[in-house]
Amino acid sequence: MSLAVAYARDGYALLEAVYDSSSPAWLREIPAVDVLRRVLLQNYTRTVTGNGREVIRRREKEPEGDGLPPGHMRIASPYDTDARWGVKRDAFWLGYKLHVSETCDDAPPCDCAAAGGGP
């Protein structure tokens, strides 16, 4: 069993405890609980076989697997749910892309003499 599947099993056990009817309702309102639930849904499938055995598998890319969500929807970091993977040439990063453009306008005229300033 891979370590990732073991983590998923622990995550599902935690969610079951949080959503149990005997658990306090405020636990379900913690933002980290929702992030955990979304990460598990995006990355793992969970089925129960005919004999009652639970099977957890990592989602794989199509056509072999059932597919992963598109990159713009997939959570890449549980610490910042808006961050995405980026790549440009040899650089890979987790974060944001920013496009900066600038214009070259003429500088405003100086009103230094009118204000009593020097030349």
Side-chain angles (χ1 to χ4, degrees):
M1 173 184 350
S2 71
L3 187 58
V5 172
Y7 289 154
R9 190 175 318 283
D10 291 345
Y12 279 120
L14 178 63
L15 287 179
E16 284 179 8
V18 166
Y19 283 96
D20 187 71
S21 61
S22 64
S23 296
W26 62 266
L27 285 175
R28 296 177 203 97
E29 298 173 12
I30 298 173
V33 170
D34 184 55
V35 171
L36 175 63
R37 183 188 62 77
R38 290 170 45 201
V39 167
L40 289 173
L41 286 174
Q42 289 179 357
N43 292 290
Y44 299 94
T45 59
R46 182 180 179 200
T47 56
V48 177
T49 62
N51 61 2
R53 186 172 155 253
E54 180 184 65
V55 178
I56 297 175
R57 289 194 178 101
R58 285 186 53 104
R59 290 187 185 270
E60 300 295 334
K61 292 181 184 177
E62 293 177 346
E64 297 86 23
D66 60 350
L68 292 167
H72 69 278
M73 294 175 59
R74 192 168 51 233
I75 295 176
S77 169
Y79 304 107
D80 186 352
T81 57
D82 293 327
R84 299 293 179 257
W85 284 105
V87 60
K88 184 156 186 169
R89 294 185 192 86
D90 296 353
F92 295 88
W93 69 90
L94 176 62
Y96 301 91
K97 290 183 182 179
L98 175 68
H99 176 80
V100 178
S101 61
E102 59 183 85
T103 59
C104 297
D105 295 331
D106 293 334
C110 179
D111 292 340
C112 299

